[in-house]
Amino acid sequence: MRLPRTGKVPFGGDYNPEQWPEPVWQQDYRLFDRARIDLVTLGVFAWAQTQPAPDVYDFTLLDRIVDRATAEGRMICLATGTAAHPAWLARAHPEVTRTDFEGRRHRFGQRHNSCPSSPVFRRLATELARRVAARYAGNPSIVAWHVGNEYGGACYCDRCAAGFRDWLRLRYGTLDALNEAWYTTFWSHTFTGWDQIEPPSALTEHWRGPDHTAFQGITLDYLRFMSDAMLATFLDEKAAIRESSPDVPVTTNFMGMYRPIDYHRWAPHLDFASWDNYPPDDSSPSWMALTHDLMRGLKDGQPFWLMEQTPSHTACRDVNPLKRPGVLRLWSWQAVAHGADAVLFFQLRASRGASEKYHGAVIGHAGRSDTRVFREVAQLGAEFERLGAATLGARTPARVALLFDWDSWWALELSDGPSRLVRYQQLVLAYHRALWDAGVDVDVVAVTAELSRYDVVVAPALHLLKGDVAGRLAEVAGRGGSVLTTFLSGRVDENDNAFLMDVPGPLAELMGVRVDEWDARGPEFVNPVLLGSGADRVEVAGRLVFELVIPEGAETVGTYQADFYAGTPAVTRNAYGAGDGWYVATGLDQAGVSWVVRRVLDRHHLIGPYPDVPDLETAVRVAGDGTRLQFLLNHRAEPVEVTARAGAVDLLTGDRVEAGGPVTLAARGVLVLREDS
Ligand code: GLA
Ligand code: ZN
C-alpha cells in the first residue's frame, strides 16, 4: 500500500502527443509551463503504435514522447496501453473481441472491448505491459503506472462461460452446493454437470434486460465472476510491471459508482486508488462528495488520485454543459478536500478527430493560452504550486461511516419485487447528502471495513448481508454508537436467498422491529410521514416502498399518515446496548432523510460548523504532523459570509482568519484553512 512520491499535488493529465506532429509538442510544453502542469499521463491508447504487428515491438514514438516529458522535467504516469487492442490482433485472433449480452460476437471496433478470458489477449496484453515497464522502469520521472483504462462492461463468449464454470467450481466445490446456492429446484434448474451452466444473458436467464433475470443467484455470481475476470487481467499486467519495477506504485482509473465492477474486490490489489470524475450533470456537488468518499474508502482512507476530469465539458453525453467560471477550480479543490492527492485532466490537448474532438481540453484546437479555460487551469496550477506538500497524505478524521456494497447494489436492482423504482445509488445519495448537508466528514466503506472507529454507521438498503456484518453493526450500537438502516435491508444472504426469519433478518434484534408486510406504489403516490412529536413535529413524504413495521422493543419516531396502515411506524429507534438502531421503513424525501440523520448526528455532537448555510461544503483533512486543514467550498454563484470557528491561515492567499471573526467566500469560492495548533 503506497502512494506515488511527489513533492506537491501533481497537476496535469492525459496527454496524447502521438496524435500530433512534433512541433506541436514544443508548443504544448511551453503552455504546460505557463499552467504549472507538472505531470503527464502517457500512452493510454498506444498499443497499435507500440506493437504494429504480431512480432514487432516498436518503441520509437513512445521513446520520443517519454524522453521529451523527462527532458521537460515532468512527472510521468505511464500507461501500459492495453485498453484498446489493435486491429491486426482482432483480425488474427477473433477470440479477443467480446460477445455481448444478446450473444453477438463483436468484430474490431471501439475500445475497452477485449474478452478478459481470451488467452491470446491476456498473453499479449501482459507482454506489452512487461515490455513497456522493462523499457522505462529506470526512468525516475515515472511516478506511477497506469494499467489499462476504465475497466468495465462484460463478455458472454464461450471462453467466459468456461471461465465462469471454473470460478464456480472454486466457489462451491460441488454441484450440490451450487444447486443449493442458486435455489435450482425452482423451475427445474437442477444442474447435474458443470458444462450445463450457461452465462446468464438474453439467450438464457434474462427476460427483459440485464436486470431482469429468472435466477438472481446466477446473475449475481456472473457479475462477481466478470469483475474477478477483469481483475485477473489487471493482475497479469501488474505482475509483469513488477518484474522490472518493484517500487513504483500501480493503479488503474476507476469510475466512481460504477455498477459492473466491485471496486472493493479490486482495491487491495491497487497500490493506490484513482478515479475519473464525470458527474451526471453540472450541479452535483453532493454526488461528487459521495464518490470521492467512496474512492477514499477503497484503501482504508488512504488518499487517491483524481485521474481525470474535464476542464470544461464532456462530449459523450447527448447534451454537454460547460463548467461555469470558477467551477473547475471549485470541483478540483473539492476533490482535494475529500482526499485527492493529484488533480489531473482529460485531456491536455484536444483530439482533432474522432469521437472526442469536442471534449474539453486544457489546450484547444487553436493552441491558444488566452482562453478562459486555460486561464482558469493556469490559476489553479499556481495555487497547487503555492500549496506545496501541505495536503499530501493527510487523512479524513471521519467518525461517521456509510456502508456501500456492490453485492447489495446488484441484488437490490436484480430483484423482482418489491419495486424496480428503488435505485441503490439514489438511496445512498440521499443519506450521504443528508450527512453532507450537515457538514460531517464521512468515510464511505465496504461492509468488511473496521467499524470500531465510528460513532455512527449508516447503511442504506443493506439488502444482502454477508460475513459477520450484522454482528459488527450490533457491536457499534452495543458500545454506544448509532446504526441506521432502511427498508429493503437484511433481506437476503450472500446467495440472494431470503433469510428464514422475519425481516430485517439478522438486523432485526438491533433494530427492534419486525416487518410484517410491504407495499410498493408508483412514483406519483405519496404517503405522508409524520416525524417527531410536539413542537418538533414535521410532515414529510414517503414514497416507493412502505414496509409495515411491528415494533419489538423499538420506539416509534415517525408514522404513516394514510392508507390502511395510517398511524403505524415508518421510522423507529431502538435502544440497544449503550447505543441505538434506527430503522427507516420507507423512501423518505430529502427533508425526511435529513431530519432523521440530524437526530442521529446530534446525539454524537457530530454536526459540522455551518449546517444551515446551504451549499457551503466543509471538509477536514489532518496531516501527518497533526495539522488540521479545514476546507470551505461555496457551491453557490453568490458570496457567503460565515464566522470562523478557529484561528487559521488561508493557504491559498496567506491571509489570517481570527476565531470568531468573519470569513467571506466569493461565489464558488474556496478556502483552505490551516488551523492554529
Ligand atoms: C474516460 C476515458 C478517457 C476519455 C474520457 C472522456 O474517462 O478514460 O479516455 O474517453 O472518458 O470523457
Ligand atoms: Zn469472453
Side-chain angles (χ1 to χ4, degrees):
M1 187 145 116
R2 57 200 142 175
L3 273 159
R5 265 195 286 271
T6 65
K8 61 172 275 294
V9 173
F11 187 63
D14 278 58
Y15 179 45
N16 297 296
E18 64 274 17
Q19 295 177 14
W20 300 92
E22 288 203 29
V24 176
W25 306 4
Q26 171 64 16
Q27 189 189 33
D28 290 339
Y29 278 100
R30 298 300 60 87
L31 292 172
F32 295 168
D33 289 342
R34 291 170 68 169
R36 320 294 216 271
I37 284 172
D38 56 11
L39 182 142
V40 288
T41 300
L42 301 174
V44 178
F45 296 107
W47 194 341
Q49 273 108 18
T50 314
Q51 191 182 8
D55 300 315
V56 183
Y57 289 90
D58 178 356
F59 284 95
T60 319
L61 185 57
L62 199 53
D63 280 354
R64 294 187 72 82
I65 291 170
V66 170
D67 289 352
R68 180 65 186 255
T70 307
E72 295 279 358
R74 311 300 143 146
M75 292 179 274
I76 298 171
C77 173
L78 188 58
T80 57
T82 52
H85 57 234
W88 62 257
L89 175 53
R91 182 80 191 156
H93 302 281
E95 66 160 80
V96 302
T97 60
R98 290 185 186 171
T99 295
D100 67 20
F101 179 74
E102 269 80 34
R104 299 175 303 180
R105 153 75 74 197
H106 283 214
R107 300 167 72 100
F108 178 70
Q110 302 183 53
R111 62 170 177 177
H112 302 156
N113 49 1
S114 308
C115 166
S117 309
S118 155
V120 172
F121 168 73
R122 289 184 67 171
R123 180 166 50 78
L124 291 181
T126 307
E127 185 58 23
L128 183 64
R130 179 176 294 116
R131 288 180 187 242
V132 169
R135 190 157 189 99
Y136 303 108
N139 182 337
S141 297
I142 295 175
V143 295
W145 296 106
H146 180 301
V147 176
N149 190 67
E150 295 194 332
Y151 284 86
C155 181
Y156 297 85
C157 75
D158 290 343
R159 282 190 177 76
C160 285
F164 184 41
R165 292 174 199 127
D166 291 343
W167 186 93
L168 292 168
R169 263 189 218 104
L170 275 179
R171 180 174 174 83
Y172 295 108
T174 65
L175 280 170
D176 283 349
L178 172 135
N179 280 311
E180 192 183 322
W182 285 357
Y183 205 67
T184 53
T185 41
F186 183 72
W187 289 0
S188 193
H189 263 52
T190 308
F191 294 102
T192 55
W194 295 95
D195 55 358
Q196 297 158 9
I197 296 166
E198 299 283 357
S201 72
L203 303 180
T204 61
E205 299 298 349
H206 283 252
W207 49 276
R208 199 185 282 162
D211 285 359
H212 292 70
T213 174
F215 278 80
Q216 278 67 22
I218 302 181
T219 300
L220 194 58
D221 273 345
Y222 202 71
L223 285 160
R224 292 167 174 152
F225 156 69
M226 197 39 69
S227 181
D228 285 359
M230 291 199 199
L231 174 59
T233 70
F234 168 86
L235 290 174
D236 287 348
E237 291 190 41
K238 185 179 178 193
I241 291 169
R242 282 285 171 257
E243 290 170 19
S244 52
S245 174
D247 298 320
V248 174
V250 176
T251 192
T252 184
N253 47 341
F254 287 157
M255 291 180 275
M257 286 182 281
Y258 178 68
R259 201 179 73 163
I261 303 277
D262 183 343
Y263 291 147
H264 288 135
R265 289 163 84 97
W266 280 58
H269 305 286
L270 274 60
D271 294 312
F272 68 105
S274 63
W275 84 284
D276 301 345
N277 181 18
Y278 298 101
D281 56 47
D282 56 351
S283 56
S284 321
S286 67
W287 181 94
M288 293 187 289
L290 162 55
T291 316
H292 289 312
D293 290 344
L294 173 68
M295 295 293 106
R296 190 186 69 247
L298 291 178
K299 296 206 62 85
D300 198 29
Q302 177 184 281
F304 58 90
W305 275 22
L306 178 59
M307 189 64 92
E308 294 182 22
Q309 62 172 337
T310 176
S312 50
H313 47 69
T314 54
C316 58
R317 307 264 156 78
D318 287 356
V319 175
N320 298 279
L322 180 63
K323 287 183 180 171
R324 313 336 265 183
V327 168
L328 156 67
R329 171 173 183 260
L330 175 64
W331 291 8
S332 298
W333 282 110
Q334 185 193 29
V336 175
H338 285 266
D341 267 3
V343 172
L344 307 172
F345 298 105
F346 186 91
Q347 60 179 335
L348 298 185
R349 179 181 277 269
S351 298
R352 186 174 177 204
S355 60
E356 291 179 354
K357 67 176 176 297
Y358 296 136
H359 192 287
V362 173
I363 304 170
H365 295 141
R368 305 185 74 93
S369 59
D370 56 348
T371 63
R372 179 185 66 85
V373 168
F374 189 88
R375 275 194 298 273
E376 289 198 22
V377 169
Q379 186 208 347
L380 187 57
E383 286 185 344
F384 284 125
E385 201 166 87
R386 202 169 312 138
L387 181 79
T391 55
L392 294 182
R395 313 279 288 204
T396 302
R399 314 231 18 109
V400 177
L402 184 144
L403 301 190
F404 193 100
D405 182 41
W406 264 264
D407 278 323
S408 279
W409 188 358
W410 292 335
L412 182 80
E413 296 189 356
L414 291 175
S415 180
D416 272 358
S419 171
R420 293 271 174 194
L421 301 181
V422 178
R423 307 307 290 173
Y424 186 70
Q425 274 195 78
Q426 293 311 316
L427 197 61
V428 170
L429 191 55
Y431 281 85
H432 188 277
R433 164 101 211 211
L435 296 162
W436 184 79
D437 280 337
V440 58
D441 294 306
V442 186
D443 285 346
V444 177
V445 298
V447 297
T448 49
E450 176 56 58
L451 299 177
S452 58
R453 66 190 121 173
Y454 301 113
D455 298 327
V456 172
V457 179
V458 178
L462 190 58
H463 193 73
L464 179 153
L465 296 184
K466 57 191 174 192
D468 57 352
V469 64
R472 288 183 305 109
L473 288 172
E475 264 168 43
V476 171
R479 63 171 162 78
S482 294
V483 177
L484 184 160
T485 194
T486 71
F487 63 107
L488 296 180
S489 294
R491 294 292 185 126
V492 294
D493 66 13
E494 67 174 327
N495 299 317
D496 205 16
N497 291 317
F499 291 112
L500 297 178
M501 56 176 95
D502 291 320
V503 173
L507 299 174
E509 198 190 325
L510 166 59
M511 294 299 149
V513 296
R514 94 177 150 84
V515 174
D516 195 35
E517 52 184 333
W518 51 87
D519 189 14
R521 305 294 297 268
E524 66 297 336
F525 180 85
V526 169
N527 193 324
V529 171
L530 193 62
L531 295 168
S533 56
D536 214 21
R537 275 185 346 171
V538 36
E539 192 176 280
V540 298
R543 283 196 182 81
L544 303 184
V545 168
F546 310 90
E547 290 182 342
L548 277 57
V549 168
I550 297 177
E552 298 204 321
E555 62 174 293
T556 299
V557 175
T559 48
Y560 295 117
Q561 297 300 295
D563 220 315
F564 76 93
Y565 42 92
T568 70
V571 179
T572 57
R573 189 193 81 94
N574 185 44
Y576 184 94
D580 50 15
W582 290 73
Y583 195 76
V584 179
T586 183
L588 294 180
D589 60 13
Q590 191 62 52
V593 171
S594 292
W595 189 96
V596 175
V597 163
R598 287 210 185 185
R599 286 293 124 125
V600 176
L601 294 176
D602 238 351
R603 194 178 154 243
H604 301 276
H605 312 291
L606 282 172
I607 297 202
Y610 312 112
D612 299 314
V613 184
D615 298 318
L616 176 65
E617 177 170 5
T618 55
V620 176
R621 289 181 73 178
V622 179
D625 64 0
T627 308
R628 261 176 73 94
L629 302 164
Q630 164 101 56
F631 296 79
L632 298 185
L633 305 147
N634 178 17
H635 290 280
R636 306 191 111 188
E638 58 219 50
V640 61
E641 190 181 292
V642 294
T643 304
R645 296 300 155 111
V649 173
D650 179 6
L651 293 179
L652 303 185
T653 59
D655 293 348
R656 244 210 92 69
V657 164
E658 297 307 335
V663 182
T664 305
L665 281 117
R668 303 202 168 99
V670 176
L671 296 181
V672 182
L673 300 176
R674 189 186 58 214
E675 294 183 355
D676 301 345
S677 46

